[in-house]
Amino acid sequence: VASQVNRENGILHVMLYHKDTQPPYEEGRKIWKDLSEQERIQYCKEKVKQVGGTIHGWYDAFNPTYNFSYIKEDIKKWFKEEGFCKIKLITEFNINMRGTFTKRKFWF
């Protein structure tokens, strides 16, 4: 992806799941494929009552077959390896981070 960013003044912004936020979703992902559509919706409703959030949010979180998660240090390293500077962590959970290509080097 980084190779597609303009090297003069381009910006790359990523949002990735933080490794520490995933345990509540891992349980649901294990049983998700065996649930009917109605059971999935009911399971999401139960999560909303127990933990909060929205039915849509829980459904979206359980649905992916693969869901990779990371720590901010890994993502910062990726930006540095690709030559980005002015790397900025926007939010930590989930990780929003962006970096720019400029001549000056600033790291968060």
Side-chain angles (χ1 to χ4, degrees), residues 26 29 43 45 52 77 95 97:
E26 290 169 356
R29 288 189 195 110
Y43 187 72
K45 286 179 181 179
K77 180 180 167 214
I95 301 170
M97 189 177 293

Side-chain angles (χ1 to χ4, degrees), residues 1 12-16 75 78-79 90 95-98:
V1 172
L12 176 64
H13 181 104
V14 298
M15 181 186 167
L16 301 162
I75 300 164
W78 299 343
F79 275 94
I90 313 282
I95 301 170
N96 275 289
M97 189 177 293
R98 76 167 173 241

Side-chain angles (χ1 to χ4, degrees), residues 1-98:
V1 172
S3 67
Q4 302 302 305
V5 179
N6 181 317
R7 294 279 175 178
E8 293 297 317
N9 58 2
I11 297 172
L12 176 64
H13 181 104
V14 298
M15 181 186 167
L16 301 162
Y17 292 114
H18 195 291
K19 217 176 236 328
D20 293 343
T21 65
Q22 296 308 296
Y25 306 110
E26 290 169 356
E27 169 196 320
R29 288 189 195 110
K30 288 177 186 174
I31 64 168
W32 193 252
K33 66 181 182 337
D34 297 324
L35 300 176
S36 70
E37 188 62 24
Q38 288 297 358
E39 290 171 325
R40 288 177 177 185
I41 292 169
Q42 185 57 41
Y43 187 72
C44 291
K45 286 179 181 179
E46 291 169 14
K47 286 296 186 183
V48 170
K49 287 179 186 174
Q50 294 169 357
V51 184
T54 65
I55 295 168
H56 176 267
W58 284 102
Y59 194 99
D60 182 59
F62 293 137
N63 209 40
T65 302
Y66 301 101
N67 189 61
F68 303 104
S69 55
Y70 305 92
I71 58 173
K72 64 184 177 186
E73 290 78 14
D74 289 339
I75 300 164
K76 180 181 174 185
K77 180 180 167 214
W78 299 343
F79 275 94
K80 285 183 174 183
E81 287 172 349
E82 293 297 329
F84 285 94
C85 58
K86 292 188 178 179
I87 301 167
K88 182 177 182 181
L89 180 65
I90 313 282
T91 60
E92 189 164 349
F93 299 99
N94 291 320
I95 301 170
N96 275 289
M97 189 177 293
R98 76 167 173 241

